[in-house]
Amino acid sequence: MLEIDQLQLEAYRRMTGEERLKIGLGLYEASLAIAREGIRNRYPDVSEAEIAEKLKARIRAGYEIDIVSSNTP
C-alpha cells in the first residue's frame, strides 16, 4: 500500500461513522452531477425530466451489470 493510501485510511479510521457517511454521500452526489453533465453534453436539447430518466436508466443498467457479474462463476 502506498504511503498516501495508508495516511488516507488512517484519516478515515479517525472519523466518526457520520463523517464517513457524509463523505460517501457527497461523492455519490458528485457522481450523479457528472453523469447528468455527460447526458446534457450528449443530448443538448433534452429537458431536465428526460435527463432524469436517462440517468435512472444508466443507474439501472449499472446494477444489472453488477448482478450479472456477481452471478458469473
Side-chain angles (χ1 to χ4, degrees), residues 27-69:
L27 291 170
Y28 176 73
E29 289 297 326
S31 69
L32 291 178
I34 291 168
R36 281 188 199 97
E37 282 304 309
I39 294 167
R40 279 189 193 98
N41 287 336
R42 189 167 184 182
Y43 306 98
D45 298 325
V46 299
S47 69
E48 288 301 312
E50 290 171 304
I51 289 171
E53 286 303 312
K54 289 183 181 300
L55 182 58
K56 287 178 193 175
R58 263 191 201 184
I59 292 169
R60 265 189 248 106
Y63 284 127
E64 289 169 7
I65 289 169
D66 187 47
I67 289 168
V68 169
S69 296

